[in-house]
Amino acid sequence: MLCFLRGMALIPFLLVTWSSAAFIISYVVAVLSGHVNPFLPYISDTGTTPPESGIFGFMINFSAFLSAATMYTRYKIVEKQNQTSYFSTPVFNLVSLVLGLVGCIGLGIVANFQELTVPVIHDGGALLAFVCGVVYTLLQSIISYKSCPQWNSLSTCRIRMAISAVSSAAIIPMIACASLISITKLEWNPKEKDYVYHVVSAICEWTVAFGFIFYFLTFIYDFQFNGED
């Protein structure tokens, strides 16, 4: 059934499916429990109140672990490819890994510190996760182009760069609009003055989050071969 997941491909596959499930399950439980408005809550809003907070915390913690495992495996694959056929300085790959792991730490902070309980720590973790994550995808997209066509197809490079570009474009208004919101709350009224900022920021947040998921989805094929031709 999962015969296509040869090599290390199971790691990004688990990351993509588990993280998607974490977002969707937390959202559904939060909406059905009446804790958030169904229309564009922040991702963290869906993991703030019990019982969804427990689900969110557990699943996002494991997503952080799977993300770190995926990034380290990707680092080793690129390292092996670069030794076989030199295309980029190893420091570039290492910097990408370090930034990615810092983002994973940020994701762990988001999972363990709810936004209404310790908002400063939660928001700091979210900032780390999103900013480092976006930079990681950009660096990996550049690496993909450098290793093309031997290790990546041009179409894969273009898909990765497109996802990185969309995420980069979305993260700026996400941060800007979130910083203009004067109060942290779960339920919003369209007549409130900060409502537009909330909507724009939430749209961008979901865009970046699923951008990460689709980006890691592109790793599945690469991981099947573990750096082998």
Side-chain angles (χ1 to χ4, degrees):
M1 182 172 138
L2 296 178
C3 57
F4 68 98
L5 296 178
R6 57 179 175 172
M8 302 297 289
L10 182 62
I11 300 175
F13 174 79
L14 282 176
L15 172 60
V16 168
T17 53
W18 183 271
S19 299
S20 299
F23 294 147
I24 294 169
I25 292 172
S26 297
Y27 171 83
V28 170
V29 174
V31 169
L32 293 179
S33 300
H35 296 153
V36 297
N37 191 309
F39 181 69
L40 290 174
Y42 283 123
I43 295 173
S44 296
D45 291 352
T46 67
T48 297
T49 309
E52 62 267 19
S53 59
I55 299 170
F56 182 85
F58 169 71
M59 296 192 75
I60 296 301
N61 269 319
F62 193 54
S63 288
F65 169 76
L66 289 173
S67 296
T70 299
M71 291 171 179
Y72 180 73
T73 304
R74 169 67 178 171
Y75 167 79
K76 297 302 290 184
I77 289 174
V78 171
E79 181 182 57
K80 184 177 179 180
Q81 291 173 343
N82 205 32
Q83 289 171 350
T84 303
S85 176
Y86 183 84
F87 54 82
S88 176
T89 173
V91 175
F92 202 71
N93 189 31
L94 180 61
V95 170
S96 175
L97 173 66
V98 171
L99 285 171
L101 293 180
V102 171
C104 293
I105 293 172
L107 189 59
I109 292 172
V110 168
N112 292 288
F113 297 90
Q114 276 74 40
E115 63 175 338
L116 296 183
T117 308
V118 275
V120 174
I121 297 177
H122 178 90
D123 291 346
L127 192 64
L128 272 181
F130 280 110
V131 173
C132 290
V134 168
V135 177
Y136 174 83
T137 63
L138 284 169
L139 293 178
Q140 284 298 319
S141 296
I142 294 171
I143 289 174
S144 296
Y145 268 105
K146 285 179 173 290
S147 63
C148 179
Q150 180 171 2
W151 302 109
N152 292 282
S153 66
L154 184 59
S155 60
T156 298
C157 295
R158 287 173 175 169
I159 290 170
R160 288 176 182 169
M161 187 57 76
I163 295 172
S164 300
V166 170
S167 297
S168 298
I171 198 171
I172 297 173
M174 182 193 85
I175 296 172
C177 290
S179 66
L180 294 172
I181 296 175
S182 56
I183 186 172
T184 300
K185 55 189 296 185
L186 298 183
E187 295 187 16
W188 288 88
N189 187 316
K191 296 180 180 179
E192 293 177 292
K193 65 170 186 174
D194 291 339
Y195 181 73
V196 174
Y197 296 141
H198 164 74
V199 170
V200 173
S201 184
I203 289 173
C204 293
E205 183 185 58
W206 283 97
T207 299
V208 176
F210 274 93
F212 292 152
I213 288 175
F214 286 120
Y215 195 92
F216 287 122
L217 187 64
T218 70
F219 281 175
I220 292 178
Y221 180 79
D222 292 358
F223 279 38
Q224 292 183 54
F225 303 102
N226 303 332
E228 299 173 1
D229 249 330

